[in-house]
Amino acid sequence: MQLGKPGIRAAAKESARFGIYLVVAVDIADYIIRDNATLGQLLGSLTVDIPSVLLATAVGTAIATSTIGGATGAATGVAVFVTSFACGPILVALAVGVIVAAALFEIDQYFGISDKLGDLYDSGLQKLKLAYEELGAEAELRFHQLSNSHIVQDLFQDVDQIAAKLGRKADWVRWELAHW
């Protein structure tokens, strides 16, 4: 284990990666378990949870690295005391990260950000579905109109005539090769 700022930064990267994996796994499990869950709700949760993990990790890392350098700033006497130990900065980063994550969760619950984003995603997905259905019906109608048009029927007759002519030529070439 590295100590100091490089060790904290390395631990922060691993912590952020683990946090993202955990959040995605929990959100997907919640989506699968709940009968009434929608894809929009899953996307809304992920849209809020992943940046929350990253922000909590960044704040925890910033506090821990600032206490190492002696710039205690907003750090309390307890944080300074804890950082005097070898693993102290990592513990401070973890504690601050957990506090920030909890605060971000409460903000999300208070303002209903995940729910609002989920509703927006569901609305957008519904609009996409309707557009796909309309375009699909329009494309099918146009295809039938085109396939029944006189131009296409004339092309089919021309193709049939060309195919018959090519067939006759191929028969002639086969006969010539057989009798050569």
Side-chain angles (χ1 to χ4, degrees), residues 24-123:
V24 169
V26 167
D27 285 348
I28 289 174
D30 180 53
Y31 172 74
I32 291 170
I33 291 172
R34 284 191 303 142
D35 291 335
N36 60 349
T38 65
L39 181 60
Q41 291 170 339
L42 172 65
L43 293 173
S45 294
L46 290 173
T47 302
V48 171
D49 292 346
I50 291 173
S52 296
V53 168
L54 295 174
L55 184 62
T57 303
V59 170
T61 303
I63 294 294
T65 55
S66 70
T67 57
I68 287 176
T72 56
T76 62
V78 173
V80 174
F81 174 73
V82 170
T83 58
S84 65
F85 298 107
C87 292
I90 293 175
L91 294 175
V92 168
L94 178 66
V96 170
V98 167
I99 292 169
V100 170
L104 290 172
F105 177 76
E106 289 300 321
I107 290 170
D108 177 38
Q109 293 298 308
Y110 181 76
F111 290 109
I113 299 169
S114 293
D115 295 334
K116 290 176 183 174
L117 281 173
D119 292 342
L120 286 173
Y121 278 122
D122 282 334
S123 171

Side-chain angles (χ1 to χ4, degrees), residues 83-164:
T83 58
S84 65
F85 298 107
C87 292
I90 293 175
L91 294 175
V92 168
L94 178 66
V96 170
V98 167
I99 292 169
V100 170
L104 290 172
F105 177 76
E106 289 300 321
I107 290 170
D108 177 38
Q109 293 298 308
Y110 181 76
F111 290 109
I113 299 169
S114 293
D115 295 334
K116 290 176 183 174
L117 281 173
D119 292 342
L120 286 173
Y121 278 122
D122 282 334
S123 171
L125 290 170
Q126 185 63 29
K127 287 178 183 176
L128 279 175
K129 180 182 176 188
L130 291 174
Y132 175 77
E133 289 171 356
E134 288 175 10
L135 289 175
E138 179 73 20
E140 188 173 338
L141 176 68
R142 296 288 182 221
F143 175 77
H144 288 299
Q145 287 176 346
L146 181 64
S147 65
N148 294 326
S149 70
H150 293 294
I151 295 171
V152 172
Q153 290 174 359
D154 290 342
L155 285 173
F156 277 132
Q157 288 174 354
D158 291 343
V159 167
D160 286 341
Q161 291 172 358
I162 292 170

